[in-house]
Amino acid sequence: MSVHSSAQSLRIDATTGLALRVRQVLTDHYDVRPAGVVPDLIIVHGISLPPAEFGGPWIDRLFTGSLPPDVHPYFAAMAAGRVSAHALIRRDGEIVQYVPFGERAWHAGRSEYLGRAACNDFSVGIELEGTDETAYEAAQYESLAALIRGLLAAYPTLSRERVVGHSDVAPGRKTDPGVAFEWERLRGSI
Ligand SMILES: [Zn+2]
């Protein structure tokens, strides 16, 4: 018996790059990957807006370019930026997709993995709603594992050995998903 028997795999249509039966909030914050470049890295992030507050509409608004700069002091500096991730996993495990997985989302910024720069070119970016120090929810681990299994099935160039944190590809600049993220827990379920 598998201890992960309750966790299911998400189905992803590799033609459209869209996950089935997840909420889509599609954005124009993306472009095409460089010619001949396939996704072969999964990058896990953590995000909360405002910092350490959960449940608001602001992550959707950030990734769709409609974050109101005057709602919170923290938003003013972010509102002008054009960023995105392929998907977000909310505290209750809900998955939201912003960018088709085959396209290039704008999540890693200046980054390098094993000597190869510009990780957005060859990665899938998944945000977890959270902070570096707050324990992530069980529902988030389950949804993340289901999403990664779905990605591995849809994109054979991805692999379970190539799942890293934003802090791994932008050390010194980024710390997410943080010390709270339990890598062994994830690795045991994908
Ligand atoms: Zn990040």
Side-chain angles (χ1 to χ4, degrees):
M1 184 185 119
S2 165
V3 295
H4 310 295
S5 56
S6 65
Q8 300 182 343
S9 175
L10 206 72
R11 275 202 54 212
I12 295 168
D13 181 340
T15 304
T16 62
L18 298 178
L20 307 186
R21 290 184 296 280
V22 313
R23 187 159 71 88
Q24 319 276 350
V25 180
L26 298 179
T27 177
D28 63 359
H29 289 190
Y30 73 91
D31 52 14
V32 296
R33 298 184 190 277
V37 174
V38 296
D40 61 15
L41 182 69
I42 294 172
I43 300 177
V44 177
H45 300 256
I47 189 173
S48 55
L49 285 179
E53 290 184 29
F54 305 145
W58 309 122
I59 302 170
D60 289 358
R61 300 285 296 267
L62 175 66
F63 289 163
T64 54
S66 58
L67 187 68
D70 51 348
V71 166
H72 186 279
Y74 187 78
F75 291 180
M78 305 187 77
R82 282 168 60 80
V83 295
S84 63
H86 291 94
L88 166 71
I89 300 175
R90 308 215 61 151
R91 299 296 292 181
D92 63 359
E94 182 196 25
I95 298 171
V96 185
Q97 182 172 10
Y98 303 95
V99 173
F101 294 108
E103 308 293 342
R104 177 171 63 182
W106 303 336
H107 54 97
R110 188 162 37 83
S111 53
E112 182 178 311
Y113 181 69
L114 300 181
R116 191 174 169 202
C119 295
N120 284 344
D121 290 356
F122 54 92
S123 67
V124 170
I126 304 172
E127 300 273 0
L128 300 174
E129 187 179 28
T131 80
D132 286 5
E133 296 86 18
T134 312
Y136 290 93
E137 301 285 353
Q140 292 183 292
Y141 286 98
E142 289 172 15
S143 292
L144 179 58
L147 175 54
I148 290 175
R149 285 195 297 269
L151 286 165
L152 298 178
Y155 300 96
T157 52
L158 295 170
S159 83
R160 63 185 302 283
E161 285 74 34
R162 291 169 64 96
V163 181
V164 300
H166 197 185
S167 54
D168 295 314
V169 299
R173 192 175 71 82
K174 294 291 180 181
T175 58
D176 59 303
V179 293
F181 187 73
E182 300 171 50
W183 282 102
E184 289 310 310
R185 182 171 179 174
L186 174 67
R187 296 198 191 287
S189 61
I190 57 175

